[in-house]
Amino acid sequence: VWLSPVLKPDEFTDYGKWMDGWETRRKRIPGHDWCIIQLGVPGIVHGFEVNTSFFAGNSAPRISIQAALDLPEFWPRGDRIGTAASDEELKAVKKMKSDEWTLLVPMKELKPRYLDTSHNYFSASCKRKWTHIRLNIYPDGGIARFKVYGAVQKDWSASGPNDLDDLVAMENGGICVGFSSAQLGHPRNILGLGRATSMEDGWETARRPDRPPVLKADEKGILLMPGNEWAVFRLAHPCVITHIEIDTNHFKGNFPDTCKLEACVLNTEEEKEYITQKWNLKQNPKWNPLLSFTKLKPNKRHFFDGTALQMQDVITHVRLVIVPDGGVSRMRLWGFPRTLLYTSK
């Protein structure tokens, strides 16, 4: 989960006031400050957020953003507070010609540095695949958080048909394209790395207002409820799913009673149409059962192998349904990438 910047008014270091972010020294030589960031995974960049929270009086007044693709590896600087780049590091960066990288955001002024106006958003001028970002600040100052928004684009040419992978993982290119409710944490969180660090690092819905005053269950112990919540995900690659994991880690008194998974094949145009329709099921007959309704337990990883799955067809999208509401921390869909030999109609 992304941690918001914090203020520690009484904490100081050998170099001055402790700040939760990146702050450069007051510049006394020609030029401006910058940093180079390697993205966690290659992806198509759509936009940026520059957050200057708590940097009142010492934030960067202006920024610009550049990008590059497939650079040779170079050593990271690590956490070295109070030091500038060495001559050797500057020579390595000069060879990269980072000042000539594609300009995604020209020089822009940042808004006043107060908590209610500290979030600055910028659209990328060239929405294509990148691996590295250069953030320029003019001429110096501080930034609390820098976010790069986009979609992961993995190179699947190196993956064979028998390479098992998590086809909904965010790091592979899985993405949430619709949901019914989100009270604490966005559904995209359940595609994140590792196990969730907290409930906020998962997806939790609001309590459904249509729940009956007295709950009843069927002969299998499944609660009889009138409604449900759902989230739709586009898989990283067309695939056949063979194993499923649903994790309710941290959700102890607010886990769903049951869940199910449905799947389908959608092309780009159909996906756009259904997003516009907000995934209205009355106009979307494509969903087929992948995992039938299954009881869930609190704070637990639930695993399902091929014997529990109801289809072995190639799919592109899945829909996670939880009844009646509650929270899920992670979802893993393990399977094999496949070539889609036809488009749905």
Side-chain angles (χ1 to χ4, degrees):
V1 62
W2 189 278
L3 298 178
S4 299
V6 298
L7 175 65
K8 297 181 179 180
D10 300 322
E11 186 164 339
F12 288 81
T13 73
D14 293 338
Y15 308 100
K17 179 74 176 67
W18 182 91
M19 297 298 293
D20 191 7
W22 171 45
E23 182 180 3
T24 69
R25 65 192 70 195
R26 300 182 188 222
K27 207 158 190 65
R28 298 296 182 259
I29 59 175
H32 66 88
D33 291 322
W34 48 265
C35 70
I36 293 177
I37 301 166
Q38 180 176 342
L39 299 179
V41 289
I44 298 175
V45 174
H46 291 271
F48 306 90
E49 177 187 347
V50 181
N51 183 348
T52 58
S53 294
F54 304 116
F55 280 91
N58 57 347
S59 68
R62 305 169 193 84
I63 61 96
S64 71
I65 302 171
Q66 297 168 273
L69 176 65
D70 294 335
L71 295 178
E73 290 189 12
F74 60 97
W75 59 93
R77 295 199 64 232
D79 187 4
R80 286 155 51 188
I81 296 176
T83 63
S86 67
D87 290 340
E88 187 179 7
E89 289 170 332
L90 289 174
K91 288 179 181 179
V93 170
K94 188 175 182 179
K95 290 181 179 179
M96 297 163 54
K97 298 181 178 180
S98 61
D99 57 333
E100 300 177 10
W101 290 359
T102 302
L103 188 64
L104 299 187
V105 177
M107 188 185 297
K108 297 284 187 179
E109 289 191 3
L110 300 180
K111 292 180 291 187
R113 281 67 67 188
Y114 305 102
L115 285 179
D116 58 342
T117 58
S118 61
H119 295 264
N120 300 265
Y121 299 93
F122 306 99
S123 177
S125 61
C126 181
K127 295 177 176 60
R128 47 167 286 197
K129 183 178 179 181
W130 303 108
T131 56
H132 292 73
I133 297 293
R134 172 169 160 149
L135 172 62
N136 302 297
I137 61 176
Y138 301 97
D140 53 26
I143 289 174
R145 294 291 186 270
F146 177 59
K147 298 183 182 181
V148 180
Y149 295 104
V152 174
Q153 191 171 67
K154 178 177 177 177
D155 181 8
W156 289 95
S157 62
S159 299
N162 296 320
D163 290 339
L164 188 67
D165 214 334
D166 181 0
L167 274 302
V168 77
M170 189 182 298
E171 64 177 329
N172 287 332
I175 186 171
C176 178
V177 292
F179 60 94
S180 60
S181 170
Q183 176 166 278
L184 177 66
H186 193 283
R188 62 171 172 259
N189 292 349
I190 71 176
L191 313 182
L193 296 172
R195 297 195 76 191
T197 58
S198 66
M199 286 190 290
E200 188 179 5
D201 193 20
W203 167 44
E204 183 182 2
T205 73
R207 300 189 192 215
R208 288 194 62 84
D210 59 356
R211 59 192 187 280
V214 178
L215 304 185
K216 297 181 180 181
D218 63 15
E219 63 278 3
K220 296 181 180 179
I222 296 177
L223 291 180
L224 301 173
M225 305 294 289
N228 58 60
E229 305 294 352
W230 52 266
V232 178
F233 303 89
R234 183 203 312 146
L235 301 179
H237 193 282
C239 64
V240 173
I241 298 300
T242 60
H243 297 75
I244 294 172
E245 175 187 347
I246 303 293
D247 191 356
T248 58
N249 189 28
H250 302 295
F251 291 98
K252 300 176 181 179
N254 50 353
F255 64 100
D257 178 61
T258 58
C259 78
K260 73 173 181 177
L261 274 167
E262 300 170 320
C264 70
V265 172
L266 294 176
N267 59 36
T268 303
E269 292 73 20
E270 288 172 325
E271 181 190 90
K272 290 180 179 179
E273 180 182 352
Y274 293 132
I275 290 175
T276 301
Q277 297 175 3
K278 297 184 178 180
W279 299 94
N280 187 332
L281 290 184
K282 293 180 180 179
Q283 302 178 46
N284 184 7
K286 292 178 172 293
W287 295 115
N288 296 301
L290 177 62
L291 177 70
S292 61
F293 274 117
T294 304
K295 288 283 287 185
L296 297 177
K297 295 182 179 180
N299 197 39
K300 180 181 174 61
R301 300 172 76 179
H302 306 75
F303 296 96
F304 309 95
D305 61 20
T307 60
L309 306 188
Q310 296 182 272
M311 65 180 300
Q312 289 81 39
D313 299 329
V314 178
I315 59 174
T316 61
H317 292 68
V318 296
R319 179 176 182 259
L320 173 63
V321 179
I322 58 175
V323 179
D325 48 42
V328 174
S329 62
R330 289 292 185 266
M331 177 176 69
R332 307 293 185 205
L333 301 180
W334 296 90
F336 301 104
R338 292 288 184 265
T339 300
L340 194 60
L341 300 178
Y342 63 94
T343 58
S344 52
K345 298 180 180 180

